[in-house]
């Protein structure tokens, strides 16, 4: 089993709902509180498992007028995870049963080697606890049989208002994550690095081309009337 996320960049609106729901769940969950420093002051800071970055894409023949792309980032749960390879204490590990990468906080000494090795910036040091923290795919939620089956999904997936996040097993060719990746040419981030990220991104669709017509000389009332009548007859 390879559990992970598909994220649709075409429908993500950058609302930060995933980041907020992640913070809420993991602060109250079994992974322990995520540090919040100066939460109500001018320079609040703390640990986040999810962050959404926004980019302005310049105008081009493919994107006339340009567009804004919102890019959610979290742990990719790589098949060949560099963070696991470099960890000197064995605190970072990848579960064989489902492929989720976790940190054993009893073994972590906060040396930051995993953060330097991760090309996705997915790990954050909890400066108060002195240990590394990262996305767990809500492992304490997705296996909680006390929850209704429909709610056994990561908090970010459940809260997404545009359903741009989908959770599932990439080893199952019939799962929704496999189907979406196949049909929309999904790809992992920076595949050329060779870490084989499990999470996949669906690229933005090309905007539909809207046919336009010349309105003619607007100072010529007759021409405008003819143009409108022609349009109505269509």
């Amino acid at each position: 089993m390879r559990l992970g996320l598909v994220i649709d960049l075409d429908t993500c609106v950058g609302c930060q709902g995933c980041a907020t729901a992640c913070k809420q769940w993991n602060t109250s969950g079994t992974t322990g509180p995520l540090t919040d420093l100066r939460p109500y002051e001018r320079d609040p800071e703390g640990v986040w498992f999810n962050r959404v970055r926004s980019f302005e894409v310049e105008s081009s023949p493919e994107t006339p007028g340009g567009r804004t792309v919102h890019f959610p980032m979290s742990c990719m749960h790589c098949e060949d995870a560099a963070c696991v390879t470099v960890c000197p204490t064995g605190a970072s590990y990848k579960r064989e049963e489902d492929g989720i990468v976790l940190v054993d906080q009893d073994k972590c000494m906060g040396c930051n080697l995993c953060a330097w090795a991760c090309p996705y910036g997915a790990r954050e040091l909890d400066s108060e606890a002195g240990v590394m923290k990262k996305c767990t795919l809500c492992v304490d939620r997705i296996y909680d049989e006390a929850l209704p089956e429909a709610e056994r999904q990561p908090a970010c997936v459940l809260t997404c208002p545009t359903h741009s996040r989908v959770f599932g097993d990439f080893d199952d060719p019939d799962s929704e994550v496999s189907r979406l990746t196949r049909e929309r040419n999904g790809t992992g981030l920076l595949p050329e690095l060779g870490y084989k990220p499990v999470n996949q991104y669906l690229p933005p669709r090309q905007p539909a081309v809207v046919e336009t017509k010349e309105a003619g000389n607007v100072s010529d009332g007759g021409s405008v009337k003819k143009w409108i009548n022609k349009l109505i007859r269509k």
Side-chain angles (χ1 to χ4, degrees), residues 19-34:
T20 305
C22 168
K23 183 89 169 177
Q24 188 279 331
W25 173 259
N26 286 290
T27 293
S28 57
T30 58
T31 56
L34 301 183

Side-chain angles (χ1 to χ4, degrees), residues 18-225:
C18 54
T20 305
C22 168
K23 183 89 169 177
Q24 188 279 331
W25 173 259
N26 286 290
T27 293
S28 57
T30 58
T31 56
L34 301 183
T35 304
D36 280 321
L37 302 174
R38 305 176 298 279
Y40 302 109
E41 299 178 20
R42 295 184 61 183
D43 56 346
E45 193 176 338
V47 177
W48 295 77
F49 290 168
N50 265 287
R51 293 184 186 271
V52 183
R53 294 173 169 83
S54 298
F55 302 91
E56 295 297 326
V57 179
E58 291 183 353
S59 180
S60 69
E62 292 76 26
T63 58
R67 66 181 297 175
T68 302
V69 176
H70 305 287
F71 209 102
M73 296 278 293
S74 62
C75 175
M76 305 291 165
H77 299 278
C78 302
E79 290 185 47
D80 188 8
C83 56
V84 173
T85 305
V86 302
C87 180
T89 65
S92 288
Y93 65 102
K94 187 172 178 66
R95 290 163 44 117
E96 290 186 4
E97 61 267 39
D98 53 21
I100 298 176
V101 175
L102 295 175
V103 179
D104 182 338
Q105 298 187 358
D106 290 333
K107 294 181 179 178
C108 180
M109 59 181 185
C111 68
N112 262 319
L113 275 177
C114 58
W116 292 331
C118 174
Y120 306 113
R123 291 176 167 245
E124 296 198 12
L125 181 68
D126 187 329
S127 57
E128 287 203 338
V131 296
M132 194 60 65
K133 293 184 175 176
K134 61 174 287 301
C135 163
T136 67
L137 274 182
C138 290
V139 68
D140 56 339
R141 179 180 188 107
I142 60 177
Y143 291 112
D144 187 351
E145 296 185 356
L147 293 173
E149 189 170 349
E151 295 184 15
R152 296 177 205 164
Q153 299 190 59
C156 60
V157 174
L158 289 172
T159 201
C160 181
T162 60
H163 305 291
S164 63
R165 285 174 172 249
V166 181
F167 169 68
D169 178 12
F170 285 91
D171 272 348
D172 177 1
D174 296 323
S175 67
E176 189 175 5
V177 290
S178 295
R179 180 184 61 77
L180 285 169
T181 302
R182 199 166 50 239
E183 294 178 356
R184 295 274 309 279
N185 295 320
T187 182
L189 188 60
L190 301 174
E192 65 273 21
L193 297 180
Y195 299 130
K196 301 178 184 174
V198 173
N199 286 3
Q200 300 288 299
Y201 290 92
L202 307 182
R205 297 179 178 90
Q206 297 300 325
V209 177
V210 178
E211 184 182 2
T212 58
K213 295 184 179 297
E214 293 294 333
N217 185 354
V218 294
S219 64
D220 183 351
S223 297
V224 172
K225 187 176 179 181

